[in-house]
Structures are given as C-alpha cells and as structure tokens.
Amino acid sequence: MKKSVLAISIAMMGMLGACATMEGGSGEDIGRATMPANDGWAAAEGAVTGGSAAKPENDFTVTTRKELFDAVAKAGSAPSIIRIKGTINLSSDDSGRELTEKDYAVAPYNFDEYMKTYAPAKWNQKLEKGRPDRSLDGPQEEARLASVKKQRAQVTLKLASNTTLVGVGSDAKLVKGNVWIGPEAENVIIRNIAFEDAFDYFPGWDPGDSFKIDKSYPGCQDAYVDAGTGPQKCPGGRWNSEYDSISVNGGKRVWIDHNSFNDGNRPDKLFPPVYPFPHNEVTQKVQHHDGMIDVTNGANYVTVSYNVFKDHDKAMLIGGSDSSKLDPNKLKVTIHNNFFDNVGQRAPRVRFGQVHVYNNYFVGDAAGNDDPKLSAYENHLAVIKAKGDNNIFRQALGAGKDSAIYSEGNLFEIKNGGQAQAVGNMGGKVFFDAGSVVNGQPLKLDVSKPLSADVGWKPTLYGNNAVRPAAEVPAHVKAHAGPGKL
Ligand code: CA
Ligand code: CA
C-alpha cells in the first residue's frame, strides 16, 4: 500500500471512531447504547447489550443510594438501565446521612489499639516458617473483621446480568463504595460515571506481606536476641484494604467505558506509615484503597476503554493469586484508549489472562523507586529522606504467572524513570509489544528476567478502532477519555 493511501485509510478509521464516541453529543440516548461490535474481549461471545432492551418499568433514574439499591433489586436480571444522576454516596443510610468509621466499628475495635496489638516490635519476635504469624488473632482483629462485614454490606452494590449502569450528563458520581460483578452476572455495561474514593475504614495489617530477613538492616536476623536484634528488626508488613471501585469478580461480558477513577479528597498521602523504622517504608502507608478495576476469580471477557485512572497507587489487578483454580484460561481482557495519569502500579498487573493493551496513555513519576545499586536498607533511608508524596510509578504492565500480554501503540511518559517502569516481569514468561513508545524511544524490555515475545495468541477484536501510532495517543485520549465526553 502506498504511503498516501495508508494515511487516508487511517484518517478514515479515525473518523469512524470519532463518530462512534459522539452519539451522546448528537442527542442519542447513551443508556440505550450497546457496545460496538467486536470491541475487544467483551465481545468474544457475541454482542454486549447490557440493559439496552429494558422495558420502561426497568429504566430507572436514581439520585440516592436507596433508589439505586431498590432499582437493582427490582430489575433482577431482566434488562435494566440504571441512570445515576448527580452524586450518590454508597456509604450512606436510607435517609441520606453519610456513614463513617464510627457507624461501622464493632467494639472493641479501635485503630490505636489494633495497631499496638500487632506492632512488629512485639508481634514479629517469633517467626513461623520464616515469617511472622499472618493469621492475626485476638479481640482487635475479630472486631476489625466484624466491622469490615458491616461496611461491606452497606457499600457494595452487586449488579445482576443485563444491566447498564450509566451516568446522566457530565457530572454523575458514584463515591465511597464498590460495584461488584459476581459470577452470576454477565452482559453488563458501565459508562460515563466518575468513581471516587472506594474507602475502607478498616484496613488490615499483614505482618508477613513482603517480609524479608534482609541482613542489610541492622539487627535483622531470624532468631530473637533482644529488642535490638531479631526478626522484629527486619523489613516487611503491609496494610491492605478491601474495596475496588469496580470488582469484576467472576462475572463476564463486561464493558467499562468512559468512566473516571480517583481517590477523591482522601488520597493515600493523608495516611502515612504508623510504625517506626524499619516498618515505615512508603509502601507501609495505612492503605485505605484497593484497586480501581480488579478482574479476578474466573472473570472473563472484559473490555475497558476510554477511562481515566488518576492519582492512585494500584490501578488494575487482573488475577488475584498465583494459586487460583478459577483463573487459568479466563481473565481475557482488552484495555484500550485509557489514560493512566499518576498511578503507581498495576496498569494492569496480569496473571493467567490473555490481555490486549493498546493505545493507552501512561504518565507518571518514578522518583522514589529503589536504586538497584543500593541495599534495601539504604534505599529505605533514602526514600524516607525524600518524603515524596507522588504515587511512585513502579510498573505499568506487570507480566505475572502464565500471563500473555499483547501490547500495541501505548505511549509512556515517565519522569525520573523509563523502560524499567513500562513493563515489569512479576513471574511471567512472555510479553509482546509492537509500536509502543517510552519517553520518546521504542519500548525495549528492561526486566529482571527475560520475557519471550511468543505470547501464543493474536488479538482479532478491534471493533471500530484502528491502532493509532503511539505519538497520536496523548491528544486522542485526552480529548475523548473519561465521563462527560459522550
Ligand atoms: Ca495466629
Ligand atoms: Ca481488589
């Protein structure tokens, strides 16, 4: 094909894409829209129609949590359109009053008590199989779990099959909660909504998460001697949280399009580490947020397009565990034309799935990452001294166990970093890229262990989208991604 003909056909395909995204602006009802044919893995078993065929009695406009939950319950799996108008706070009661920690806390839970009870200086003195005891016992942990149960029952919205959840106009928000698409749910569309701050009031401390007997730390060794010498002087332990803004937890045929995700007015920097050295790394902040969109537990056929992920640490986890029995041969996900703006990691991190990632725009700052020339201890000291509050850009694409990522035409702008942050090998064996660009240079793997380009599959489901040259991605994504753009 001559160069000029190619340019014209690319331009025409671009126009087709533009028309498809303009339907709302032209007065069409986006609540009745279906996913364009073959637009990514969500289409693998046929058209994704969500609730587009809803009868009038299953076409709801809701402005409160109660109306939202009532609508979901009433429609069941009959096709239903649920239109979010204005801001709905999922952590509120039927009268609209916001519910916070004190409303969910079950006695005797108290954060300070909890923190003291499991403080590494004490709890970590004894190891089991090389780690501190990870199954916490005692009244504080029991009360925390009971509190979590109360919060979860309030803030989790479980969607049924054949549902379209859509924002009205350009200012619809769903805040302080979790949308859940479980194994019983399929054919779901989520569009044009700003998701904010899926906040967990009761993060749990896992003393064994990332625990290492690392002798670069003074006093760190496996046997306890005294307060200054023993496993309690070794690094590790993390705070973990429950809620993703959207959990595709076993569901399938899901289209998540033109939404935004952020932590609202409670960014992680407000919740720094609480334990003293050596349990005060940046990663030991009291984490009240989890993923933005996590796809786990045998979920399958998901397309994530034209969303904005902003100012958050862990964006997208695809596959929750190396030992999952449900995930092998599932977790097929397409991720295109999204804007990952100042996220830290997991954009996405993948286990098992065949994941197609194209024409996404990644912007971040890698300052604060470990310097491979320094010991863990020296890095720890350096990071504390730097006191950065950005979400340290660690890795965008994470190739984990049995993952097969097919990447095309992505554009990375990584301050204070580069190739090592675009792709990470997290236990994977393969990774393919064509045409991606990192800080102006072609993507070139800089990973701990090599990844073969033979991923064993090739995407076919591009819908109306032509893969753009990476250089054109920022302008296109900034103009079209996020809510209020339909
Ligand atoms: Ca125990
Ligand atoms: Ca999660």
Side-chain angles (χ1 to χ4, degrees):
M1 197 184 290
K2 274 190 201 155
K3 203 175 174 188
S4 58
V5 177
L6 179 67
I8 290 164
S9 52
I10 286 170
M12 284 175 64
M13 285 186 273
M15 280 161 65
L16 284 173
C19 292
T21 61
M22 272 161 54
E23 61 197 38
S26 65
E28 269 182 60
D29 176 3
I30 60 169
R32 294 274 168 192
T34 59
M35 190 177 82
N38 300 320
D39 190 352
W41 271 120
E45 290 186 335
V48 177
T49 56
S52 58
K55 293 183 175 153
E57 65 267 29
N58 286 327
D59 184 345
F60 306 91
T61 298
V62 298
T63 62
T64 66
R65 178 191 173 280
K66 180 168 168 33
E67 289 173 359
L68 172 58
F69 276 68
D70 287 351
V72 169
K74 182 164 173 256
S77 60
S80 65
I81 304 169
I82 300 173
R83 303 170 194 269
I84 308 281
K85 197 168 176 204
T87 298
I88 293 182
N89 182 345
L90 289 167
S91 186
S92 61
D93 68 12
D94 287 356
S95 73
R97 181 177 71 90
E98 177 162 13
L99 301 176
T100 62
E101 178 178 341
K102 64 182 189 316
D103 298 291
Y104 301 121
V106 172
Y109 177 80
N110 170 285
F111 181 78
D112 291 335
E113 277 307 308
Y114 181 92
M115 194 191 109
K116 276 182 213 152
T117 305
Y118 308 110
K122 195 166 60 174
W123 187 266
N124 290 11
Q125 287 180 12
K126 201 168 135 268
L127 301 184
E128 295 176 2
K129 292 180 187 161
R131 290 189 200 221
D133 180 3
R134 301 181 80 173
S135 70
L136 305 184
D137 352 83
Q140 280 301 320
E141 175 65 358
E142 282 167 28
R144 185 189 72 84
L145 291 172
S147 309
V148 167
K149 204 172 159 192
K150 265 178 90 173
Q151 187 188 348
R152 188 191 286 121
Q154 194 70 18
V155 305
T156 295
L157 174 70
K158 294 192 169 173
L159 296 181
S161 293
N162 309 314
T163 300
T164 292
L165 185 67
V166 63
V168 174
S170 59
D171 63 351
K173 285 190 182 184
L174 211 43
V175 307
K176 300 175 185 179
N178 163 238
V179 171
W180 181 275
I181 302 166
E184 67 292 338
E186 65 175 287
N187 190 28
V188 172
I189 295 175
I190 301 177
R191 298 183 84 193
N192 198 42
I193 299 170
F195 289 85
E196 276 184 17
D197 192 21
F199 193 88
D200 184 343
Y201 286 101
F202 309 100
W205 173 250
D206 178 350
D209 187 340
S210 308
F211 177 85
K212 262 202 215 90
I213 297 173
D214 181 332
K215 293 185 175 162
S216 73
Y217 281 76
C220 169
Q221 61 169 52
D222 56 3
Y224 179 83
V225 176
D226 57 28
T229 309
Q232 79 283 3
K233 302 303 280 183
C234 301
R238 294 284 186 275
W239 293 94
N240 290 313
S241 250
E242 294 280 318
Y243 311 109
D244 315 314
S245 282
I246 299 175
S247 306
V248 187
N249 196 302
K252 66 172 185 171
R253 301 174 59 224
V254 177
W255 185 35
I256 301 171
D257 176 73
H258 281 94
N259 305 286
S260 65
F261 300 87
N262 65 58
D263 296 340
N265 57 11
R266 289 189 287 196
D268 289 352
K269 66 183 174 192
L270 300 180
F271 308 96
V274 287
Y275 291 127
F277 192 89
H279 304 101
N280 61 349
E281 279 187 277
V282 175
T283 47
Q284 291 168 313
K285 64 192 167 185
V286 184
Q287 181 57 272
H288 289 275
H289 299 106
D290 197 33
M292 290 171 140
I293 302 173
D294 283 4
V295 181
T296 58
N297 288 333
N300 210 3
Y301 304 137
V302 180
T303 297
V304 175
S305 52
Y306 287 97
N307 302 282
V308 176
F309 301 86
K310 191 167 167 59
D311 299 336
H312 181 89
D313 189 6
K314 296 167 181 170
M316 278 190 83
L317 179 66
I318 300 178
S321 144
D322 284 357
S323 59
S324 173
K325 297 278 184 288
L326 297 171
D327 291 342
N329 304 311
K330 301 280 183 63
L331 305 179
K332 294 180 166 70
V333 182
T334 298
I335 299 167
H336 72 76
N337 290 289
N338 300 282
F339 188 5
F340 293 89
D341 184 4
N342 188 35
V343 304
Q345 54 193 315
R346 302 187 180 172
R349 185 215 195 283
V350 182
R351 296 179 170 98
F352 300 106
Q354 295 180 347
V355 175
H356 188 199
V357 184
Y358 70 91
N359 282 165
N360 300 282
Y361 181 33
F362 301 85
V363 174
D365 186 340
N369 270 299
D370 285 355
D371 177 345
K373 294 189 293 293
L374 301 179
S375 71
Y377 172 67
E378 289 164 332
N379 273 308
H380 189 149
L381 295 178
V383 170
I384 291 172
K385 210 171 148 205
K387 276 195 176 16
D389 63 11
N390 67 306
N391 290 300
I392 300 169
F393 196 103
R394 298 184 188 279
Q395 293 92 28
L397 309 176
K401 182 180 178 180
D402 291 345
S403 65
I405 298 173
Y406 196 105
S407 156
E408 295 180 273
N410 296 293
L411 195 284
F412 299 83
E413 290 171 4
I414 307 170
K415 264 194 272 178
N416 300 304
Q419 303 283 358
Q421 282 78 42
V423 182
N425 185 350
M426 317 180 83
K429 293 198 172 71
V430 299
F431 174 88
F432 174 86
D433 181 77
S436 293
V437 169
V438 180
N439 293 349
Q441 299 298 316
L443 186 147
K444 189 166 165 285
L445 290 178
D446 178 4
V447 289
S448 51
K449 287 187 185 139
L451 291 163
S452 156
D454 180 10
V455 293
W457 74 289
K458 204 170 157 38
T460 58
L461 300 167
Y462 288 86
N464 298 325
N465 308 296
V467 178
R468 282 182 189 75
E472 295 174 13
V473 167
H476 180 77
V477 164
K478 280 194 272 188
H480 296 289
K485 303 279 179 71
L486 288 168

